Amino acid sequence: QVQLEESGGGLVQAGGSLRLSCTASGRTNAGLSMGWFRQGPGNERAFVATIAKIGAATYYADSVKGRFAISRESARNTVYLQMNSLKPEDTAVYYCAALVGHCSGPGCRDRRLFTSWGRGTQVTVSS
């Protein structure tokens, strides 16, 4: 099994930035594709971004494209989500997710593909 732990959430004013981190442990040797999802109050868990196991290809939800950037540091089994120009509507609990193997492109938006999840970290953007 793969365990995931997120960090880096907090309270920020609109227009500000935050960087989330997610570190994977356990059965990571097969290689992971990683993703970030978020769930706002009263909403379903929604796709934010993903980064593939092979080639580190990235894919973003339209709502965050150009503002958020996902990256990975393979040596540390860590994935990051740099969030810039934050808006109040970005307020949510952000979850890190992993799947064993390669996934890239729009097909990775489906949260059912991801078999491991972190506990989430709260991001609050004030207006």
Side-chain angles (χ1 to χ4, degrees):
Q1 289 188 350
V2 176
Q3 293 80 43
L4 302 174
E5 184 171 359
E6 306 100 334
S7 62
L11 173 65
V12 64
Q13 289 188 332
S17 299
L18 282 175
R19 189 176 81 157
L20 306 182
S21 300
C22 173
T23 299
S25 60
R27 294 180 178 267
T28 62
N29 57 316
L32 305 172
S33 294
M34 305 288 290
W36 287 96
F37 292 75
R38 66 186 182 185
Q39 188 167 13
N43 296 329
E44 293 188 353
R45 195 168 298 187
F47 169 77
V48 176
T50 187
I51 187 164
K53 166 190 172 182
I54 300 172
T58 58
Y59 185 76
Y60 297 93
D62 288 343
S63 58
V64 306
K65 201 174 295 182
R67 299 188 299 123
F68 290 12
I70 187 171
S71 62
R72 70 191 306 162
E73 188 174 357
S74 297
R76 296 188 177 187
N77 285 325
T78 298
V79 63
Y80 304 99
L81 185 68
Q82 178 66 44
M83 305 186 294
N84 300 325
S85 302
L86 282 160
K87 305 175 181 179
E89 50 264 43
D90 294 318
T91 294
V93 178
Y94 283 71
Y95 295 91
C96 177
L99 64 88
V100 177
H102 181 72
C103 184
S104 65
C108 298
R109 292 176 298 187
D110 188 350
R111 64 179 185 266
R112 295 171 296 180
L113 297 174
F114 292 83
T115 54
S116 299
W117 291 84
R119 300 175 71 173
T121 184
Q122 177 70 47
V123 172
T124 303
V125 184
S126 63
S127 57

